[in-house]
Amino acid sequence: MNTFGNLYRLTSFGESHGAGIGGVIDGCPAGIELDMEFIQKELNRRKSGQSAITTPRKEADEVQFLSGIYQGKTTGTPIGFIIWNRNQHSADYDNMKEVYRPSHADYTYQAKYGIRDPRGGGRSSARETISRCVAGAIAKLVLNQYGISIQAYTSQVGDIQLEGGYNVYDLSHTEENPVRCPDPVKAAEMEKRIAEVKSKGDTIGGVITCIAQGVPVGLGEPAFGKLHAALGQAMLTINAAKGFEYGDGFEAPLYKGSEHNDIFYNDEGKISTRTNHSGGIQGGISNGQDIYFRVAFKSVATILMEQPTVDTDGEETILKAKGRHDPCVLPRAVPIVEAMTAMTLLDYLLLRKARD
Amino acid sequence: MNTFGNLYRLTSFGESHGAGIGGVIDGCPAGIELDMEFIQKELNRRKSGQSAITTPRKEADEVQFLSGIYQGKTTGTPIGFIIWNRNQHSADYDNMKEVYRPSHADYTYQAKYGIRDPRGGGRSSARETISRCVAGAIAKLVLNQYGISIQAYTSQVGDIQLEGGYNVYDLSHTEENPVRCPDPVKAAEMEKRIAEVKSKGDTIGGVITCIAQGVPVGLGEPAFGKLHAALGQAMLTINAAKGFEYGDGFEAPLYKGSEHNDIFYNDEGKISTRTNHSGGIQGGISNGQDIYFRVAFKSVATILMEQPTVDTDGEETILKAKGRHDPCVLPRAVPIVEAMTAMTLLDYLLLRKARD
Amino acid sequence: MNTFGNLYRLTSFGESHGAGIGGVIDGCPAGIELDMEFIQKELNRRKSGQSAITTPRKEADEVQFLSGIYQGKTTGTPIGFIIWNRNQHSADYDNMKEVYRPSHADYTYQAKYGIRDPRGGGRSSARETISRCVAGAIAKLVLNQYGISIQAYTSQVGDIQLEGGYNVYDLSHTEENPVRCPDPVKAAEMEKRIAEVKSKGDTIGGVITCIAQGVPVGLGEPAFGKLHAALGQAMLTINAAKGFEYGDGFEAPLYKGSEHNDIFYNDEGKISTRTNHSGGIQGGISNGQDIYFRVAFKSVATILMEQPTVDTDGEETILKAKGRHDPCVLPRAVPIVEAMTAMTLLDYLLLRKARD
Amino acid sequence: MNTFGNLYRLTSFGESHGAGIGGVIDGCPAGIELDMEFIQKELNRRKSGQSAITTPRKEADEVQFLSGIYQGKTTGTPIGFIIWNRNQHSADYDNMKEVYRPSHADYTYQAKYGIRDPRGGGRSSARETISRCVAGAIAKLVLNQYGISIQAYTSQVGDIQLEGGYNVYDLSHTEENPVRCPDPVKAAEMEKRIAEVKSKGDTIGGVITCIAQGVPVGLGEPAFGKLHAALGQAMLTINAAKGFEYGDGFEAPLYKGSEHNDIFYNDEGKISTRTNHSGGIQGGISNGQDIYFRVAFKSVATILMEQPTVDTDGEETILKAKGRHDPCVLPRAVPIVEAMTAMTLLDYLLLRKARD
């Protein structure tokens, strides 16, 4: 199942150390002007080697479009694309061919398929997410035309977390620091924490918060296509994601119905709510308020410390990983969260258009 | 999108105050002996009027099978079924026809479809989940043959929560109290809290924890069909669900990689892990360890207190709900969580068989 | 795979001698006034016992709607429905339980599933098609609003066939004879032929032609969703269908490109074609001209003559079928062909709306 | 809808004069040794410039695999691939940018999408089918392991047609002539006819017959997933296909039930049929006999003769096509028919495995 979406669909392919990472976008509306600069900028936000706290693997991550575009515009036919792999150090993985890295996908892939590409994690590498950023960038270009915008940011690293919701921050500061956190003080703390952890060969996790604004009323397909269920699934397909919550999420149980309910009022002719505990979605359908949700990410499984494990023969052994790795996925996962959000919202927008 | 699943599929239909709730199960393996007593018992766990802390609406909730069964066994053809609605008090909803209940689906359904059945919430009523319990019960019967078992329980109500994971409890006590909590002391506290809240016409939320044991290695379909993403989507389609996490979930960020990684060892010939922070899923594929996850539920939106709101003309008004309502969905949601888990695991088991 | 369609979807269930035949229609636009008289009339066109040349099994075939309708209008939620079986003579099939009827689905179902409901052919009975007529009738009601009309007729029985295309007939005469053939002279011949064949306990096949008018330009989804491919698949799912052709079909090879090409011209501001060899579809997309196609049906497999066969143990034996059977499916298949056409066109219309 | 299949899935992309034609194969079983020589040979059968009766456009059509393969074997992850376009003469299409070629997809694409790539027909070019040949070749490699073989041949060109069914020919001669007809005498006639037609700038159609042998009992998914419906849909997605029939097809109406029924007998312990009018499929499920079917193709729409038409402004004009074109698609469509058959059968084999 390497296809995501119903009407706006991404089929992705590629391994970390194969020829490249690519995909096919099917169902993109025709006549969309492809702003190549914007698309590349989105890819650059995800790419490695951006700062001292990401992996030093250097990849240009330039996308080559293969079809579906004529004179700079989408034609409605499938958009094939590829990002060639260039900076592979496959030899770094030689000692991992026969060894299962703890909390990685090595063992489960081997058990499921009976074969796996061990170089750089093969298909299970987070490098796979580049294709999502391409499809997400194009989705954003379409959503822009409908006045829908999406913004994600790092809201927690380890136990350092932002106080309060997205409303108390100026999100335009998000991209000003390598952690992608809109609070410069907390961002500095987070950056320091990541650097510390990295210096010991260890890794750390965190939480990303995402907001979608301008989403019209009526997106969401009950019963099994509830909008938050689609967003949740989308987020949980991102490598290292461990949890998803929207609106009050896991804090919702702390509120009684009388405290949690969002009271409707007439906002100069438009039905609005005084609070937004619901996170912009009621009964699985968007209600016109801001959609917001949070995604938890675990620490990266690959650490540069010795760990006991077993080899492919089941013999116990000690692994010391080499290679170039992120000490924390959060900064680079921010654009991926946005991309999956954009793809999901566009898909549901198209579904809604069909039903109008 | 009223169909769930890839190979084991439920298509559901029905409204709270219509003829009934039903569905079609497609892709059920042939030759399964349908234990009708078991299926009805599963439905009874979900049904209303079980105790003082659930809605007094009394429904027998007896399932009538319409097809797909011959001489007590499944034939591989679609299994149609219906649970007739009997105890409807549609008049209770007369005053809600023209009014949008806060944090309910009234407004979003009306805005999306331009029409809605206001009686009892119509399609957005949690009564829709009966069909899931039927499909889930049959899925459990199939999973039993593979040695897979599923058990959910209430782990939090309001701010009362169980300490520690599922391992420290004897889950066989879960069904011994109306809250479905395996710790009898906490269960009593939770029951008392729900009764208090109910007495004020208010409502309360909580968290359900679910464990699947005996799941073989190899279930899960990267990249977009990761097993936990499918489980997350499944859970988030349940009414009032606000969040999903598996393994360490939102606590994962608190652990460094060196603390979070699950070390492999050779357990008498079988590859196992010394800890299970991963929640039984690595790289989106089951690794043979216990799968566990948690689902957050908000308080029920319908409270028996006055609330400001707007009517269908956008005029501000005051709503005082009537009708029979649950003060807390948790107890009745436990079997629904299990049902969705069973459907998802069976679906992925069939997918795995296809790829063997 | 008992679900048909992408956005307008029918999931069907039911066996010939079980509780009934039913289904769930998902994705029907909201706010459609359901003309119950029209729907029942469509079902009546398909039902048995209409004339001397159809099976004498008498069924009222009244549809009971179970959900998705409020105050006579569709609500956008799934429409469950059932047609209860009433006039079953299951005893007629007692001698077939252990015997495979030639050219029927008995053997293949048994081999595939290891179990089957032998009463009246179980799921493989053409009685399953009632659910399609329900979904097709509702689709017609929606298509009417877009000015799209569909008309099928019997164009061949045995070797008796209509000369010329649909243009040379007044199709309003189609329903005036039991064969559903617009040419009264040929209709009488066909009726006589069927009666003759029936009198010997034998059966006969034929061809149905179908025309869709008013279909707008732009329906069809290249490459694998070509409109004629969807129509072909739809037709070939009807019991006893053996072939599908559109436009010139199997006669197309007889024309050179210079003879077959449909020349474009400007028809008072609208682009039109001087001929319509293409059958209204070019490159898999409707071009605004009439869509027409033909479907071949074999003779009914159940004959009331002795036939050699094998039993479920593989022993050779002689079968003499009992039961009430059609000597020719054509007359009753006409509304089924229309129903599948309506479902397909509505599905593709909704797809097109999503992409606009 | 550029994805084909349920479990073995091809998503294709690419235009005639863009960067190339490619695709992603998802769901291919792991551990399949990829015989590159065989795959290239299959592509060569489809490629242009093979003989005097195909288009002179010269393309190497070498496939470059991008992912999903490790040490020569499939890994179960998606197989991305591309065939680069090299020999484009886009200038040949300059005069067609503003003109709709009769019976081509120019007008319908423009009307549907509001934009199109006019060079070489863009996405509607038959060059798109290369990706099917890649996915089909790999499917054949998997089917080989199950003893399933597929063979297609040209059985009709214009009015020249083979007498009798596939049984009377030695199909191993099929590839010995440029027409791909197993009867050398008829092949010579067909070749001559094509050459004649070509010399006038005209084109001609025909029929391809396809046989699948060794298909086990039990492939096919009632009601809407009947095996012949899937094959029919698959064939009708091929450019220029106008009809599909299996078994007796459009001749079936000529036989009475007593003549058409395939009598079962015990063939040394295996249940077999004395005739095979059914074409190896009964009730939508394979019965273990040979599967055979026929596909009608129209003459190529692009002729090198003057034709009246309209331009994109709706003005009437005269078109004289340039470019390199096939006078007859049949010879090159033979491998495409086989490829679509292989993909469909593998898909249904995997579905069957899931249900076992």
Side-chain angles (χ1 to χ4, degrees), chain C residues 4 42 45-46 129-130 132-133 136-137 139-140 143 150-155 180 206-212 230-245 291-297 329-345:
Chain C
F4 179 85
E42 287 290 285
R45 291 174 69 206
R46 196 218 73 97
T129 55
I130 304 181
R132 307 176 183 214
C133 288
K140 281 183 177 182
L143 292 173
I150 294 160
Q151 170 111 43
Y153 62 91
T154 299
S155 52
R180 295 204 160 87
V207 174
I208 288 173
T209 298
C210 184
I211 298 99
L231 287 167
Q233 189 218 3
M235 296 308 132
L236 291 162
T237 66
I238 302 174
N239 289 26
K242 297 297 291 183
F244 169 87
E245 58 178 11
I291 291 175
Y292 64 95
F293 54 84
R294 287 162 28 97
V295 190
F297 290 91
V329 296
L330 276 286
R332 294 176 62 200
V334 164
I336 304 167
V337 165
E338 290 181 8
M340 294 306 296
T341 304
M343 287 167 63
T344 305
L345 291 179

Side-chain angles (χ1 to χ4, degrees), chain D residues 211-234:
Chain D
I211 298 101
Q213 292 176 304
V215 178
V217 191
L219 268 56
E221 302 283 320
F224 299 118
K226 293 193 170 90
L227 183 55
H228 57 265
L231 286 167
Q233 188 217 4

Side-chain angles (χ1 to χ4, degrees), chain A residues 83-102:
Chain A
I83 297 91
W84 299 96
N85 290 330
R86 308 241 183 244
N87 194 262
Q88 299 132 304
H89 291 189
S90 299
D92 286 349
Y93 295 88
D94 278 354
N95 68 330
M96 294 182 214
K97 262 185 212 175
E98 312 294 330
V99 170
Y100 296 136
R101 292 172 295 167

Side-chain angles (χ1 to χ4, degrees), chain B residues 24-26 66-69 75-80, chain C residues 1-3 10-18 20-23 101 104-106 109 113 116-132 239, chain D residues 221-226 283 285:
Chain B
V24 184
I25 300 162
D26 200 4
L66 302 167
S67 66
I69 301 165
T75 60
T77 60
I79 301 170
Chain C
M1 278 197 280
N2 292 281
T3 297
L10 167 66
T11 300
S12 95
F13 67 84
E15 281 93 22
S16 176
H17 288 222
I21 300 290
R101 292 172 296 167
H104 237 288
D106 300 342
Y109 268 68
Y113 298 112
R116 79 199 149 95
D117 180 347
R119 300 167 303 163
R123 178 70 179 155
S124 72
S125 163
R127 197 162 162 72
E128 172 265 323
T129 55
I130 304 181
S131 64
R132 307 176 183 214
N239 289 26
Chain D
E221 302 283 320
F224 299 118
K226 293 193 170 90
I285 301 170

